[in-house]
PDB file of all heavy atoms in Angstrom:
ATOM      1  N   LYS E   1       0.854  -1.252  -0.013  1.00  0.00           N
ATOM      2  CA  LYS E   1       0.024   0.045   0.038  1.00  0.00           C
ATOM      3  C   LYS E   1       0.921   1.266  -0.032  1.00  0.00           C
ATOM      4  O   LYS E   1       0.314   2.310  -0.116  1.00  0.00           O
ATOM      5  CB  LYS E   1      -0.942  -0.020   1.334  1.00  0.00           C
ATOM      6  CG  LYS E   1      -1.926  -1.075   1.225  1.00  0.00           C
ATOM      7  CD  LYS E   1      -2.661  -1.042   2.519  1.00  0.00           C
ATOM      8  CE  LYS E   1      -3.613  -2.246   2.695  1.00  0.00           C
ATOM      9  NZ  LYS E   1      -4.315  -2.255   4.050  1.00  0.00           N
ATOM     10  N   GLY E   2       2.144   1.174   0.109  1.00  0.00           N
ATOM     11  CA  GLY E   2       3.055   2.263   0.124  1.00  0.00           C
ATOM     12  C   GLY E   2       3.111   2.961   1.586  1.00  0.00           C
ATOM     13  O   GLY E   2       3.556   4.055   1.636  1.00  0.00           O
ATOM     14  N   ASN E   3       2.810   2.197   2.589  1.00  0.00           N
ATOM     15  CA  ASN E   3       2.760   2.711   3.922  1.00  0.00           C
ATOM     16  C   ASN E   3       4.156   2.395   4.589  1.00  0.00           C
ATOM     17  O   ASN E   3       4.771   1.432   4.199  1.00  0.00           O
ATOM     18  CB  ASN E   3       1.654   2.077   4.868  1.00  0.00           C
ATOM     19  CG  ASN E   3       0.286   2.464   4.384  1.00  0.00           C
ATOM     20  OD1 ASN E   3       0.079   3.433   3.619  1.00  0.00           O
ATOM     21  ND2 ASN E   3      -0.671   1.796   4.849  1.00  0.00           N
ATOM     22  N   ARG E   4       4.586   3.210   5.523  1.00  0.00           N
ATOM     23  CA  ARG E   4       5.748   3.012   6.353  1.00  0.00           C
ATOM     24  C   ARG E   4       5.287   2.718   7.774  1.00  0.00           C
ATOM     25  O   ARG E   4       4.494   3.416   8.268  1.00  0.00           O
ATOM     26  CB  ARG E   4       6.620   4.254   6.276  1.00  0.00           C
ATOM     27  CG  ARG E   4       7.998   3.987   6.912  1.00  0.00           C
ATOM     28  CD  ARG E   4       8.800   5.240   6.881  1.00  0.00           C
ATOM     29  NE  ARG E   4       8.457   6.099   7.971  1.00  0.00           N
ATOM     30  CZ  ARG E   4       8.082   7.339   7.806  1.00  0.00           C
ATOM     31  NH1 ARG E   4       8.143   7.923   6.726  1.00  0.00           N
ATOM     32  NH2 ARG E   4       7.807   8.031   8.892  1.00  0.00           N
ATOM     33  N   VAL E   5       5.809   1.672   8.330  1.00  0.00           N
ATOM     34  CA  VAL E   5       5.422   1.275   9.774  1.00  0.00           C
ATOM     35  C   VAL E   5       6.633   1.337  10.623  1.00  0.00           C
ATOM     36  O   VAL E   5       7.730   0.872  10.231  1.00  0.00           O
ATOM     37  CB  VAL E   5       4.812  -0.087   9.811  1.00  0.00           C
ATOM     38  CG1 VAL E   5       4.531  -0.548  11.178  1.00  0.00           C
ATOM     39  CG2 VAL E   5       3.529  -0.104   8.913  1.00  0.00           C
ATOM     40  N   GLU E   6       6.579   1.932  11.720  1.00  0.00           N
ATOM     41  CA  GLU E   6       7.629   2.053  12.802  1.00  0.00           C
ATOM     42  C   GLU E   6       7.180   1.640  14.089  1.00  0.00           C
ATOM     43  O   GLU E   6       6.114   2.008  14.575  1.00  0.00           O
ATOM     44  CB  GLU E   6       8.120   3.527  12.905  1.00  0.00           C
ATOM     45  CG  GLU E   6       8.590   4.093  11.660  1.00  0.00           C
ATOM     46  CD  GLU E   6       8.679   5.717  11.721  1.00  0.00           C
ATOM     47  OE1 GLU E   6       8.432   6.211  12.910  1.00  0.00           O
ATOM     48  OE2 GLU E   6       9.044   6.309  10.787  1.00  0.00           O
ATOM     49  N   TYR E   7       7.923   0.708  14.790  1.00  0.00           N
ATOM     50  CA  TYR E   7       7.627   0.345  16.136  1.00  0.00           C
ATOM     51  C   TYR E   7       8.109   1.508  17.034  1.00  0.00           C
ATOM     52  O   TYR E   7       9.261   1.981  16.848  1.00  0.00           O
ATOM     53  CB  TYR E   7       8.329  -0.923  16.510  1.00  0.00           C
ATOM     54  CG  TYR E   7       8.173  -1.251  18.005  1.00  0.00           C
ATOM     55  CD1 TYR E   7       6.960  -1.693  18.427  1.00  0.00           C
ATOM     56  CD2 TYR E   7       9.247  -1.179  18.854  1.00  0.00           C
ATOM     57  CE1 TYR E   7       6.806  -2.077  19.784  1.00  0.00           C
ATOM     58  CE2 TYR E   7       9.117  -1.467  20.217  1.00  0.00           C
ATOM     59  CZ  TYR E   7       7.902  -1.945  20.675  1.00  0.00           C
ATOM     60  OH  TYR E   7       7.682  -2.227  21.983  1.00  0.00           O
ATOM     61  N   GLN E   8       7.302   1.912  17.989  1.00  0.00           N
ATOM     62  CA  GLN E   8       7.703   3.057  18.701  1.00  0.00           C
ATOM     63  C   GLN E   8       7.701   2.805  20.243  1.00  0.00           C
ATOM     64  O   GLN E   8       7.674   3.729  21.049  1.00  0.00           O
ATOM     65  CB  GLN E   8       6.767   4.258  18.361  1.00  0.00           C
ATOM     66  CG  GLN E   8       6.930   4.773  17.017  1.00  0.00           C
ATOM     67  CD  GLN E   8       6.135   6.041  16.718  1.00  0.00           C
ATOM     68  OE1 GLN E   8       5.359   6.434  17.509  1.00  0.00           O
ATOM     69  NE2 GLN E   8       6.503   6.666  15.659  1.00  0.00           N
ATOM     70  N   GLY E   9       7.800   1.520  20.571  1.00  0.00           N
ATOM     71  CA  GLY E   9       7.923   1.189  21.949  1.00  0.00           C
ATOM     72  C   GLY E   9       6.625   0.868  22.776  1.00  0.00           C
ATOM     73  O   GLY E   9       5.604   0.786  22.175  1.00  0.00           O
ATOM     74  N   ILE E  10       6.807   0.827  24.134  1.00  0.00           N
ATOM     75  CA  ILE E  10       5.741   0.503  24.918  1.00  0.00           C
ATOM     76  C   ILE E  10       5.147   1.804  25.533  1.00  0.00           C
ATOM     77  O   ILE E  10       5.817   2.725  25.853  1.00  0.00           O
ATOM     78  CB  ILE E  10       6.190  -0.376  26.210  1.00  0.00           C
ATOM     79  CG1 ILE E  10       6.852  -1.608  25.652  1.00  0.00           C
ATOM     80  CG2 ILE E  10       5.109  -0.686  27.112  1.00  0.00           C
ATOM     81  CD1 ILE E  10       6.000  -2.540  24.857  1.00  0.00           C
ATOM     82  N   GLU E  11       3.807   1.916  25.695  1.00  0.00           N
ATOM     83  CA  GLU E  11       3.173   3.107  26.116  1.00  0.00           C
ATOM     84  C   GLU E  11       1.901   2.754  26.815  1.00  0.00           C
ATOM     85  O   GLU E  11       1.150   1.791  26.487  1.00  0.00           O
ATOM     86  CB  GLU E  11       2.787   3.984  24.943  1.00  0.00           C
ATOM     87  CG  GLU E  11       2.163   5.316  25.296  1.00  0.00           C
ATOM     88  CD  GLU E  11       2.002   6.231  24.089  1.00  0.00           C
ATOM     89  OE1 GLU E  11       2.958   6.263  23.203  1.00  0.00           O
ATOM     90  OE2 GLU E  11       1.028   6.854  24.070  1.00  0.00           O
ATOM     91  N   GLN E  12       1.550   3.439  27.894  1.00  0.00           N
ATOM     92  CA  GLN E  12       0.306   3.220  28.644  1.00  0.00           C
ATOM     93  C   GLN E  12      -0.801   3.936  27.923  1.00  0.00           C
ATOM     94  O   GLN E  12      -0.719   5.069  27.431  1.00  0.00           O
ATOM     95  CB  GLN E  12       0.392   3.957  30.010  1.00  0.00           C
ATOM     96  CG  GLN E  12      -0.863   3.966  30.789  1.00  0.00           C
ATOM     97  CD  GLN E  12      -1.189   2.654  31.355  1.00  0.00           C
ATOM     98  OE1 GLN E  12      -0.311   1.864  31.713  1.00  0.00           O
ATOM     99  NE2 GLN E  12      -2.522   2.287  31.438  1.00  0.00           N
ATOM    100  N   VAL E  13      -1.805   3.174  27.535  1.00  0.00           N
ATOM    101  CA  VAL E  13      -3.007   3.692  26.851  1.00  0.00           C
ATOM    102  C   VAL E  13      -4.123   3.756  27.854  1.00  0.00           C
ATOM    103  O   VAL E  13      -4.275   2.793  28.677  1.00  0.00           O
ATOM    104  CB  VAL E  13      -3.408   2.850  25.636  1.00  0.00           C
ATOM    105  CG1 VAL E  13      -4.654   3.244  24.994  1.00  0.00           C
ATOM    106  CG2 VAL E  13      -2.261   2.790  24.671  1.00  0.00           C
ATOM    107  N   GLU E  14      -4.934   4.811  27.855  1.00  0.00           N
ATOM    108  CA  GLU E  14      -5.913   5.005  28.879  1.00  0.00           C
ATOM    109  C   GLU E  14      -6.805   3.802  28.979  1.00  0.00           C
ATOM    110  O   GLU E  14      -7.349   3.208  27.997  1.00  0.00           O
ATOM    111  CB  GLU E  14      -6.838   6.228  28.433  1.00  0.00           C
ATOM    112  CG  GLU E  14      -7.900   6.590  29.416  1.00  0.00           C
ATOM    113  CD  GLU E  14      -8.617   7.792  28.845  1.00  0.00           C
ATOM    114  OE1 GLU E  14      -8.089   8.686  28.176  1.00  0.00           O
ATOM    115  OE2 GLU E  14      -9.861   7.915  29.171  1.00  0.00           O
ATOM    116  N   GLY E  15      -6.940   3.270  30.258  1.00  0.00           N
ATOM    117  CA  GLY E  15      -7.703   2.183  30.539  1.00  0.00           C
ATOM    118  C   GLY E  15      -7.201   0.843  30.188  1.00  0.00           C
ATOM    119  O   GLY E  15      -7.881  -0.197  30.327  1.00  0.00           O
ATOM    120  N   ALA E  16      -5.933   0.704  29.819  1.00  0.00           N
ATOM    121  CA  ALA E  16      -5.366  -0.532  29.449  1.00  0.00           C
ATOM    122  C   ALA E  16      -4.053  -0.715  30.235  1.00  0.00           C
ATOM    123  O   ALA E  16      -3.458   0.140  30.866  1.00  0.00           O
ATOM    124  CB  ALA E  16      -5.101  -0.578  27.951  1.00  0.00           C
ATOM    125  N   THR E  17      -3.483  -1.929  30.141  1.00  0.00           N
ATOM    126  CA  THR E  17      -2.261  -2.163  30.803  1.00  0.00           C
ATOM    127  C   THR E  17      -1.097  -1.580  30.070  1.00  0.00           C
ATOM    128  O   THR E  17      -1.237  -1.271  28.901  1.00  0.00           O
ATOM    129  CB  THR E  17      -2.079  -3.747  30.947  1.00  0.00           C
ATOM    130  OG1 THR E  17      -1.951  -4.275  29.517  1.00  0.00           O
ATOM    131  CG2 THR E  17      -3.244  -4.458  31.638  1.00  0.00           C
ATOM    132  N   PRO E  18      -0.013  -1.369  30.747  1.00  0.00           N
ATOM    133  CA  PRO E  18       1.120  -0.678  30.082  1.00  0.00           C
ATOM    134  C   PRO E  18       1.925  -1.623  29.082  1.00  0.00           C
ATOM    135  O   PRO E  18       3.019  -1.263  28.657  1.00  0.00           O
ATOM    136  CB  PRO E  18       2.020  -0.265  31.241  1.00  0.00           C
ATOM    137  CG  PRO E  18       1.760  -1.181  32.323  1.00  0.00           C
ATOM    138  CD  PRO E  18       0.215  -1.573  32.117  1.00  0.00           C
ATOM    139  N   THR E  19       1.340  -2.752  28.692  1.00  0.00           N
ATOM    140  CA  THR E  19       2.071  -3.562  27.740  1.00  0.00           C
ATOM    141  C   THR E  19       1.716  -3.349  26.262  1.00  0.00           C
ATOM    142  O   THR E  19       2.172  -4.079  25.458  1.00  0.00           O
ATOM    143  CB  THR E  19       1.776  -5.086  28.037  1.00  0.00           C
ATOM    144  OG1 THR E  19       0.332  -5.240  27.925  1.00  0.00           O
ATOM    145  CG2 THR E  19       2.225  -5.467  29.459  1.00  0.00           C
ATOM    146  N   ASN E  20       1.018  -2.218  26.025  1.00  0.00           N
ATOM    147  CA  ASN E  20       0.619  -1.916  24.652  1.00  0.00           C
ATOM    148  C   ASN E  20       1.843  -1.421  23.874  1.00  0.00           C
ATOM    149  O   ASN E  20       2.604  -0.682  24.212  1.00  0.00           O
ATOM    150  CB  ASN E  20      -0.406  -0.775  24.640  1.00  0.00           C
ATOM    151  CG  ASN E  20      -1.732  -1.211  25.238  1.00  0.00           C
ATOM    152  OD1 ASN E  20      -2.171  -2.229  24.853  1.00  0.00           O
ATOM    153  ND2 ASN E  20      -2.190  -0.418  26.181  1.00  0.00           N
ATOM    154  N   SER E  21       1.928  -2.126  22.662  1.00  0.00           N
ATOM    155  CA  SER E  21       2.979  -1.662  21.739  1.00  0.00           C
ATOM    156  C   SER E  21       2.376  -0.670  20.838  1.00  0.00           C
ATOM    157  O   SER E  21       1.175  -0.652  20.557  1.00  0.00           O
ATOM    158  CB  SER E  21       3.523  -2.873  21.046  1.00  0.00           C
ATOM    159  OG  SER E  21       2.568  -3.466  20.257  1.00  0.00           O
ATOM    160  N   ARG E  22       3.230   0.207  20.224  1.00  0.00           N
ATOM    161  CA  ARG E  22       2.685   1.295  19.507  1.00  0.00           C
ATOM    162  C   ARG E  22       3.331   1.292  18.104  1.00  0.00           C
ATOM    163  O   ARG E  22       4.529   1.232  17.952  1.00  0.00           O
ATOM    164  CB  ARG E  22       3.056   2.603  20.136  1.00  0.00           C
ATOM    165  CG  ARG E  22       2.536   3.822  19.520  1.00  0.00           C
ATOM    166  CD  ARG E  22       2.930   5.124  20.306  1.00  0.00           C
ATOM    167  NE  ARG E  22       2.507   6.263  19.758  1.00  0.00           N
ATOM    168  CZ  ARG E  22       3.056   7.433  19.958  1.00  0.00           C
ATOM    169  NH1 ARG E  22       4.031   7.524  20.842  1.00  0.00           N
ATOM    170  NH2 ARG E  22       2.665   8.460  19.330  1.00  0.00           N
ATOM    171  N   SER E  23       2.504   1.263  17.077  1.00  0.00           N
ATOM    172  CA  SER E  23       2.995   1.254  15.671  1.00  0.00           C
ATOM    173  C   SER E  23       2.544   2.479  15.017  1.00  0.00           C
ATOM    174  O   SER E  23       1.525   3.027  15.369  1.00  0.00           O
ATOM    175  CB  SER E  23       2.540  -0.019  14.936  1.00  0.00           C
ATOM    176  OG  SER E  23       2.994  -1.175  15.578  1.00  0.00           O
ATOM    177  N   HIS E  24       3.266   2.820  13.997  1.00  0.00           N
ATOM    178  CA  HIS E  24       2.918   4.086  13.354  1.00  0.00           C
ATOM    179  C   HIS E  24       2.921   3.793  11.793  1.00  0.00           C
ATOM    180  O   HIS E  24       3.892   3.186  11.299  1.00  0.00           O
ATOM    181  CB  HIS E  24       4.031   5.134  13.606  1.00  0.00           C
ATOM    182  CG  HIS E  24       3.827   6.437  13.102  1.00  0.00           C
ATOM    183  ND1 HIS E  24       3.448   7.515  13.923  1.00  0.00           N
ATOM    184  CD2 HIS E  24       3.791   6.947  11.867  1.00  0.00           C
ATOM    185  CE1 HIS E  24       3.257   8.622  13.175  1.00  0.00           C
ATOM    186  NE2 HIS E  24       3.549   8.300  11.873  1.00  0.00           N
ATOM    187  N   ALA E  25       1.821   4.095  11.141  1.00  0.00           N
ATOM    188  CA  ALA E  25       1.739   3.843   9.706  1.00  0.00           C
ATOM    189  C   ALA E  25       1.497   5.220   9.040  1.00  0.00           C
ATOM    190  O   ALA E  25       0.695   6.071   9.536  1.00  0.00           O
ATOM    191  CB  ALA E  25       0.506   2.994   9.424  1.00  0.00           C
ATOM    192  N   ARG E  26       2.175   5.462   7.995  1.00  0.00           N
ATOM    193  CA  ARG E  26       2.098   6.696   7.269  1.00  0.00           C
ATOM    194  C   ARG E  26       1.831   6.477   5.847  1.00  0.00           C
ATOM    195  O   ARG E  26       2.593   5.742   5.226  1.00  0.00           O
ATOM    196  CB  ARG E  26       3.269   7.596   7.499  1.00  0.00           C
ATOM    197  CG  ARG E  26       3.279   8.909   6.902  1.00  0.00           C
ATOM    198  CD  ARG E  26       4.435   9.743   7.197  1.00  0.00           C
ATOM    199  NE  ARG E  26       4.792   9.984   8.516  1.00  0.00           N
ATOM    200  CZ  ARG E  26       4.262  10.865   9.348  1.00  0.00           C
ATOM    201  NH1 ARG E  26       3.345  11.692   8.837  1.00  0.00           N
ATOM    202  NH2 ARG E  26       4.543  10.978  10.576  1.00  0.00           N
ATOM    203  N   THR E  27       0.884   7.134   5.255  1.00  0.00           N
ATOM    204  CA  THR E  27       0.643   7.044   3.819  1.00  0.00           C
ATOM    205  C   THR E  27       0.952   8.446   3.312  1.00  0.00           C
ATOM    206  O   THR E  27       1.361   9.301   4.097  1.00  0.00           O
ATOM    207  CB  THR E  27      -0.879   6.782   3.586  1.00  0.00           C
ATOM    208  OG1 THR E  27      -1.724   7.868   3.993  1.00  0.00           O
ATOM    209  CG2 THR E  27      -1.371   5.542   4.161  1.00  0.00           C
ATOM    210  N   ALA E  28       0.790   8.585   2.036  1.00  0.00           N
ATOM    211  CA  ALA E  28       1.063   9.938   1.386  1.00  0.00           C
ATOM    212  C   ALA E  28       0.107  10.970   1.874  1.00  0.00           C
ATOM    213  O   ALA E  28       0.382  12.150   1.858  1.00  0.00           O
ATOM    214  CB  ALA E  28       0.986   9.784  -0.117  1.00  0.00           C
ATOM    215  N   THR E  29      -1.071  10.610   2.479  1.00  0.00           N
ATOM    216  CA  THR E  29      -2.094  11.563   2.730  1.00  0.00           C
ATOM    217  C   THR E  29      -2.348  11.669   4.237  1.00  0.00           C
ATOM    218  O   THR E  29      -2.983  12.656   4.673  1.00  0.00           O
ATOM    219  CB  THR E  29      -3.436  11.195   2.109  1.00  0.00           C
ATOM    220  OG1 THR E  29      -3.795   9.881   2.508  1.00  0.00           O
ATOM    221  CG2 THR E  29      -3.253  11.190   0.586  1.00  0.00           C
ATOM    222  N   SER E  30      -1.980  10.730   5.060  1.00  0.00           N
ATOM    223  CA  SER E  30      -2.271  10.841   6.481  1.00  0.00           C
ATOM    224  C   SER E  30      -1.329   9.979   7.219  1.00  0.00           C
ATOM    225  O   SER E  30      -0.494   9.153   6.739  1.00  0.00           O
ATOM    226  CB  SER E  30      -3.698  10.316   6.773  1.00  0.00           C
ATOM    227  OG  SER E  30      -3.795   9.011   6.570  1.00  0.00           O
ATOM    228  N   ALA E  31      -1.349  10.111   8.618  1.00  0.00           N
ATOM    229  CA  ALA E  31      -0.544   9.316   9.496  1.00  0.00           C
ATOM    230  C   ALA E  31      -1.533   8.758  10.550  1.00  0.00           C
ATOM    231  O   ALA E  31      -2.461   9.379  10.938  1.00  0.00           O
ATOM    232  CB  ALA E  31       0.539  10.190  10.129  1.00  0.00           C
ATOM    233  N   SER E  32      -1.193   7.575  10.988  1.00  0.00           N
ATOM    234  CA  SER E  32      -2.010   6.833  11.972  1.00  0.00           C
ATOM    235  C   SER E  32      -1.109   6.325  13.014  1.00  0.00           C
ATOM    236  O   SER E  32      -0.033   5.879  12.795  1.00  0.00           O
ATOM    237  CB  SER E  32      -2.837   5.689  11.442  1.00  0.00           C
ATOM    238  OG  SER E  32      -3.668   6.185  10.374  1.00  0.00           O
ATOM    239  N   THR E  33      -1.526   6.374  14.313  1.00  0.00           N
ATOM    240  CA  THR E  33      -0.855   5.723  15.410  1.00  0.00           C
ATOM    241  C   THR E  33      -1.807   4.641  15.944  1.00  0.00           C
ATOM    242  O   THR E  33      -2.921   5.051  16.240  1.00  0.00           O
ATOM    243  CB  THR E  33      -0.456   6.654  16.524  1.00  0.00           C
ATOM    244  OG1 THR E  33       0.346   7.719  15.900  1.00  0.00           O
ATOM    245  CG2 THR E  33       0.281   5.960  17.623  1.00  0.00           C
ATOM    246  N   ILE E  34      -1.413   3.451  16.085  1.00  0.00           N
ATOM    247  CA  ILE E  34      -2.216   2.305  16.397  1.00  0.00           C
ATOM    248  C   ILE E  34      -1.634   1.592  17.636  1.00  0.00           C
ATOM    249  O   ILE E  34      -0.461   1.299  17.619  1.00  0.00           O
ATOM    250  CB  ILE E  34      -2.378   1.308  15.277  1.00  0.00           C
ATOM    251  CG1 ILE E  34      -3.016   2.071  14.076  1.00  0.00           C
ATOM    252  CG2 ILE E  34      -3.303   0.140  15.637  1.00  0.00           C
ATOM    253  CD1 ILE E  34      -2.921   1.323  12.790  1.00  0.00           C
ATOM    254  N   TRP E  35      -2.387   1.518  18.721  1.00  0.00           N
ATOM    255  CA  TRP E  35      -1.941   0.843  19.889  1.00  0.00           C
ATOM    256  C   TRP E  35      -2.404  -0.538  19.922  1.00  0.00           C
ATOM    257  O   TRP E  35      -3.650  -0.851  19.729  1.00  0.00           O
ATOM    258  CB  TRP E  35      -2.475   1.544  21.147  1.00  0.00           C
ATOM    259  CG  TRP E  35      -1.807   2.856  21.388  1.00  0.00           C
ATOM    260  CD1 TRP E  35      -0.702   3.039  22.142  1.00  0.00           C
ATOM    261  CD2 TRP E  35      -2.200   4.138  20.927  1.00  0.00           C
ATOM    262  NE1 TRP E  35      -0.418   4.367  22.132  1.00  0.00           N
ATOM    263  CE2 TRP E  35      -1.245   5.121  21.371  1.00  0.00           C
ATOM    264  CE3 TRP E  35      -3.208   4.607  20.017  1.00  0.00           C
ATOM    265  CZ2 TRP E  35      -1.280   6.444  21.112  1.00  0.00           C
ATOM    266  CZ3 TRP E  35      -3.279   5.939  19.790  1.00  0.00           C
ATOM    267  CH2 TRP E  35      -2.419   6.800  20.347  1.00  0.00           C
ATOM    268  N   ILE E  36      -1.450  -1.530  19.930  1.00  0.00           N
ATOM    269  CA  ILE E  36      -1.828  -2.952  19.887  1.00  0.00           C
ATOM    270  C   ILE E  36      -1.403  -3.580  21.259  1.00  0.00           C
ATOM    271  O   ILE E  36      -0.228  -3.676  21.444  1.00  0.00           O
ATOM    272  CB  ILE E  36      -1.040  -3.552  18.696  1.00  0.00           C
ATOM    273  CG1 ILE E  36      -1.416  -2.812  17.411  1.00  0.00           C
ATOM    274  CG2 ILE E  36      -1.531  -5.082  18.633  1.00  0.00           C
ATOM    275  CD1 ILE E  36      -0.773  -3.279  16.267  1.00  0.00           C
ATOM    276  N   PRO E  37      -2.311  -4.035  22.042  1.00  0.00           N
ATOM    277  CA  PRO E  37      -1.998  -4.699  23.218  1.00  0.00           C
ATOM    278  C   PRO E  37      -1.323  -5.991  22.835  1.00  0.00           C
ATOM    279  O   PRO E  37      -1.514  -6.658  21.802  1.00  0.00           O
ATOM    280  CB  PRO E  37      -3.335  -5.046  23.940  1.00  0.00           C
ATOM    281  CG  PRO E  37      -4.242  -3.989  23.378  1.00  0.00           C
ATOM    282  CD  PRO E  37      -3.807  -3.794  21.935  1.00  0.00           C
ATOM    283  N   SER E  38      -0.366  -6.495  23.681  1.00  0.00           N
ATOM    284  CA  SER E  38       0.470  -7.636  23.274  1.00  0.00           C
ATOM    285  C   SER E  38      -0.294  -8.900  23.075  1.00  0.00           C
ATOM    286  O   SER E  38       0.191  -9.806  22.483  1.00  0.00           O
ATOM    287  CB  SER E  38       1.568  -7.772  24.471  1.00  0.00           C
ATOM    288  OG  SER E  38       0.894  -8.002  25.697  1.00  0.00           O
ATOM    289  N   THR E  39      -1.532  -8.982  23.543  1.00  0.00           N
ATOM    290  CA  THR E  39      -2.311 -10.239  23.355  1.00  0.00           C
ATOM    291  C   THR E  39      -3.533 -10.171  22.579  1.00  0.00           C
ATOM    292  O   THR E  39      -4.223 -11.134  22.386  1.00  0.00           O
ATOM    293  CB  THR E  39      -2.674 -10.791  24.817  1.00  0.00           C
ATOM    294  OG1 THR E  39      -3.444  -9.838  25.469  1.00  0.00           O
ATOM    295  CG2 THR E  39      -1.385 -11.160  25.639  1.00  0.00           C
ATOM    296  N   THR E  40      -4.002  -8.971  22.121  1.00  0.00           N
ATOM    297  CA  THR E  40      -5.260  -8.848  21.392  1.00  0.00           C
ATOM    298  C   THR E  40      -5.074  -7.939  20.181  1.00  0.00           C
ATOM    299  O   THR E  40      -4.005  -7.661  19.719  1.00  0.00           O
ATOM    300  CB  THR E  40      -6.336  -8.220  22.355  1.00  0.00           C
ATOM    301  OG1 THR E  40      -5.824  -6.907  22.739  1.00  0.00           O
ATOM    302  CG2 THR E  40      -6.525  -9.075  23.554  1.00  0.00           C
ATOM    303  N   SER E  41      -6.200  -7.533  19.600  1.00  0.00           N
ATOM    304  CA  SER E  41      -6.264  -6.716  18.437  1.00  0.00           C
ATOM    305  C   SER E  41      -6.169  -5.251  18.805  1.00  0.00           C
ATOM    306  O   SER E  41      -6.265  -4.907  19.976  1.00  0.00           O
ATOM    307  CB  SER E  41      -7.548  -6.987  17.724  1.00  0.00           C
ATOM    308  OG  SER E  41      -7.656  -8.241  17.343  1.00  0.00           O
ATOM    309  N   PRO E  42      -5.926  -4.315  17.778  1.00  0.00           N
ATOM    310  CA  PRO E  42      -5.857  -2.915  18.210  1.00  0.00           C
ATOM    311  C   PRO E  42      -7.053  -2.415  19.040  1.00  0.00           C
ATOM    312  O   PRO E  42      -8.177  -2.708  18.769  1.00  0.00           O
ATOM    313  CB  PRO E  42      -5.878  -2.285  16.760  1.00  0.00           C
ATOM    314  CG  PRO E  42      -5.408  -3.300  15.893  1.00  0.00           C
ATOM    315  CD  PRO E  42      -5.843  -4.634  16.485  1.00  0.00           C
ATOM    316  N   SER E  43      -6.678  -1.549  19.993  1.00  0.00           N
ATOM    317  CA  SER E  43      -7.747  -0.999  20.878  1.00  0.00           C
ATOM    318  C   SER E  43      -8.005   0.476  20.606  1.00  0.00           C
ATOM    319  O   SER E  43      -9.062   0.888  20.853  1.00  0.00           O
ATOM    320  CB  SER E  43      -7.341  -1.271  22.318  1.00  0.00           C
ATOM    321  OG  SER E  43      -6.151  -0.590  22.687  1.00  0.00           O
ATOM    322  N   GLU E  44      -7.011   1.143  20.250  1.00  0.00           N
ATOM    323  CA  GLU E  44      -7.114   2.621  19.973  1.00  0.00           C
ATOM    324  C   GLU E  44      -6.253   3.002  18.817  1.00  0.00           C
ATOM    325  O   GLU E  44      -5.259   2.345  18.569  1.00  0.00           O
ATOM    326  CB  GLU E  44      -6.775   3.400  21.238  1.00  0.00           C
ATOM    327  CG  GLU E  44      -7.655   3.250  22.329  1.00  0.00           C
ATOM    328  CD  GLU E  44      -7.573   4.469  23.258  1.00  0.00           C
ATOM    329  OE1 GLU E  44      -7.074   5.474  22.926  1.00  0.00           O
ATOM    330  OE2 GLU E  44      -8.030   4.332  24.486  1.00  0.00           O
ATOM    331  N   SER E  45      -6.634   4.099  18.125  1.00  0.00           N
ATOM    332  CA  SER E  45      -5.878   4.579  17.073  1.00  0.00           C
ATOM    333  C   SER E  45      -6.125   6.055  16.991  1.00  0.00           C
ATOM    334  O   SER E  45      -7.158   6.544  17.360  1.00  0.00           O
ATOM    335  CB  SER E  45      -6.119   3.927  15.751  1.00  0.00           C
ATOM    336  OG  SER E  45      -7.468   4.231  15.281  1.00  0.00           O
TER     337      SER E  45
END
């Protein structure tokens, strides 16, 4: 899709445990930050 993804470490996300990993996807038109808990699917973006 032409996106760039970067792992940006562990971060506390509101209401979740601090084990969430943070990925960053950037297209030509927008940027998204997606929090992915270590055991489940994305919870916030």
Side-chain angles (χ1 to χ4, degrees):
K1 295 174 185 176
N3 295 343
R4 190 181 80 234
V5 175
E6 303 166 0
Y7 174 72
Q8 296 189 343
I10 304 299
E11 183 174 321
Q12 173 74 33
V13 174
E14 186 176 327
T17 62
T19 59
N20 292 310
S21 59
R22 184 176 174 204
S23 298
H24 185 106
R26 185 178 301 277
T27 66
T29 59
S30 67
S32 300
T33 302
I34 302 167
W35 287 270
I36 304 172
S38 58
T39 58
T40 62
S41 299
S43 60
E44 292 204 17
S45 67

